[in-house]
Amino acid sequence: MKLSTLRYFVEVATENSFTKASQNLFISQPTLSRRIQELESELGVTLFNRNNTNNLILSPEGKQLLVKVRDVLDQIDSISGMFDPDSVTNNNVTLIKVGCLSNFDYSELYNLIEQFKIQYPTVKFIIEQGSPMELNDGLLSRTYDLVLNLDNYISSNDVLKTSLYKKNNLQVAIQNNHRLASKQEIKFSDLTDETLILIERNKSPLVFDYVINQCLKHGFHAKANYYVKNLDEGLSKTSLGEGISFLYSGMDNGYLSKKYRVKFLNLNEEKSSQNLVYAFQENNNPMLDEFLNFVHQNRSDLY
């Protein structure tokens, strides 16, 4: 049983919503749902039920667990800081401000933050979402100490340092019985007669512009019959056979294809790869250096 899963459970119970809880935790909703399902399987009980209006409510077992878990987490937080002179006397808090792109899966990073805070209980992380340009500008203006952004949006200068967080390339999602399902990768020219599902441009300008431009480059206009607000909505429509949707591989937590009964195919295009990197300014926040060293030591496989 993971400590982070218990914190996830408390957040869902507090918000009575997987959607709101996932936004607060900055992880994808499918990841959060999977972790709660794993907890239910481990305990052998149902923790949440839905009523006739589809609202999320705690089961009797869930209510019992919530009381226990809150008590356990309070004790852990107390133990973590009991020998820290800063937390006992001065209660100093160090902020690490993180900016990240929406829709990507940051569950591994969030787990690292949870582990780091056990060792450094006076460190508080503030995590905000923004567009690629907003994240880059925020890093240069020191609004953020750390950003997770696509590499081609990070300014090239001696001030900013970057390191690979996750390899990332554009993919398409199709039904399992689609005519292209036998392929491992496709080209944009294969999409000439397909109905495309795009996330609204103000939500995902990178994918939107790239898909439209690539279609024009290959001699056809995109048949985008649907503009959706988020990735989950797009994958739902793909699952129902309403068209092909797009996502970056970094958005997939390994659970999406099973949940929506779709298949992901890589796009074999020269510029479809845009790796997700973390970027920061040196000598900006001493505690950030501690966190980055912690990440490197504990999850070097991320890089």
Side-chain angles (χ1 to χ4, degrees):
M1 186 178 299
K2 296 181 179 179
L3 178 62
S4 58
T5 301
L6 296 179
R7 294 190 186 276
Y8 292 170
F9 165 70
V10 171
E11 191 67 31
V12 175
T14 301
E15 294 291 351
N16 292 319
S17 167
F18 280 103
T19 300
K20 291 181 180 179
S22 64
Q23 292 172 350
N24 294 343
L25 296 168
F26 290 92
I27 61 175
S28 67
Q29 185 174 335
T31 296
L32 181 59
S33 298
R34 175 169 54 83
R35 294 289 289 274
I36 297 301
Q37 289 173 358
E38 291 172 352
L39 180 60
E40 289 179 322
S41 297
E42 186 174 355
L43 296 174
V45 297
T46 298
L47 298 175
F48 295 96
N49 296 316
R50 294 184 182 275
N51 59 22
N52 293 333
T53 59
N54 208 35
N55 290 328
L56 195 66
I57 57 176
L58 278 169
S59 67
E61 294 81 3
K63 292 178 180 178
Q64 294 179 43
L65 181 64
L66 181 61
V67 174
K68 291 288 186 182
V69 169
R70 280 178 169 164
D71 183 54
V72 169
L73 293 179
D74 286 343
Q75 292 185 47
I76 289 175
D77 291 340
S78 175
I79 293 171
S80 298
M82 66 184 299
F83 299 116
D84 187 335
D86 285 337
S87 64
V88 174
T89 57
N90 299 325
N91 198 31
N92 293 331
V93 175
T94 301
L95 296 179
I96 296 180
K97 295 168 288 185
V98 182
C100 60
L101 293 172
S102 60
N103 288 318
F104 281 82
D105 177 33
Y106 299 113
S107 54
E108 294 291 352
L109 180 65
Y110 186 82
N111 288 336
L112 289 169
I113 290 175
E114 286 291 322
Q115 296 170 31
F116 183 77
K117 288 172 65 177
I118 293 175
Q119 294 188 24
Y120 299 92
T122 60
V123 176
K124 179 179 180 181
F125 287 80
I126 298 177
I127 305 177
E128 299 177 348
Q129 296 184 5
S131 69
M133 293 303 297
E134 289 172 341
L135 295 179
N136 185 66
D137 292 344
L139 186 60
L140 292 172
S141 65
R142 297 185 183 272
T143 300
Y144 300 118
D145 299 306
L146 178 72
V147 301
L148 286 94
N149 204 351
L150 298 179
D151 55 1
N152 59 330
Y153 277 88
I154 302 297
S155 296
S156 298
N157 56 52
D158 295 333
V159 176
L160 301 184
K161 305 298 181 182
T162 63
S163 185
L164 178 66
Y165 172 71
K166 184 178 292 186
K167 292 184 177 180
N168 182 58
N169 60 279
L170 192 62
Q171 297 179 322
V172 297
I174 62 175
Q175 277 189 308
N176 289 324
N177 60 352
H178 191 276
R179 66 178 182 86
L180 297 173
S182 61
K183 297 179 177 290
Q184 295 300 316
E185 60 181 23
I186 62 173
K187 298 180 179 180
F188 263 95
S189 56
D190 295 321
L191 304 178
T192 303
D193 299 319
E194 298 292 337
T195 298
L196 307 183
I197 301 169
L198 295 175
I199 298 177
E200 295 174 356
R201 190 182 185 282
N202 64 324
K203 303 288 186 180
S204 182
L206 301 177
V207 174
F208 190 100
D209 290 345
Y210 184 74
V211 170
I212 296 298
N213 290 333
Q214 286 297 310
C215 290
L216 293 175
K217 177 181 176 180
H218 287 82
F220 67 97
H221 291 277
K223 293 170 55 180
N225 288 4
Y226 297 103
Y227 298 98
V228 296
K229 296 184 181 299
N230 53 56
L231 178 62
D232 288 319
E233 186 179 346
L235 293 178
S236 294
K237 289 187 176 297
T238 294
S239 178
L240 295 173
E242 298 180 17
I244 290 178
S245 53
F246 295 83
L247 74 161
Y248 281 117
S249 58
M251 298 175 177
D252 180 25
N253 57 11
Y255 180 69
L256 292 177
S257 60
K258 182 181 296 185
K259 176 181 179 181
Y260 292 102
R261 294 176 297 174
V262 297
K263 181 177 181 179
F264 298 140
L265 301 177
N266 289 326
L267 275 166
N268 184 15
E269 302 292 337
E270 180 181 354
K271 296 183 179 180
S272 69
S273 296
Q274 296 188 44
N275 290 331
L276 190 65
V277 300
Y278 72 88
F280 58 96
Q281 293 195 47
E282 286 191 322
N283 303 318
N284 184 28
N285 185 333
M287 190 53 69
L288 176 64
D289 294 336
E290 291 288 340
F291 176 65
L292 294 176
N293 288 333
F294 178 87
V295 171
H296 181 74
Q297 293 170 6
N298 287 273
R299 290 303 304 271
S300 59
D301 59 298
L302 286 177
Y303 314 116

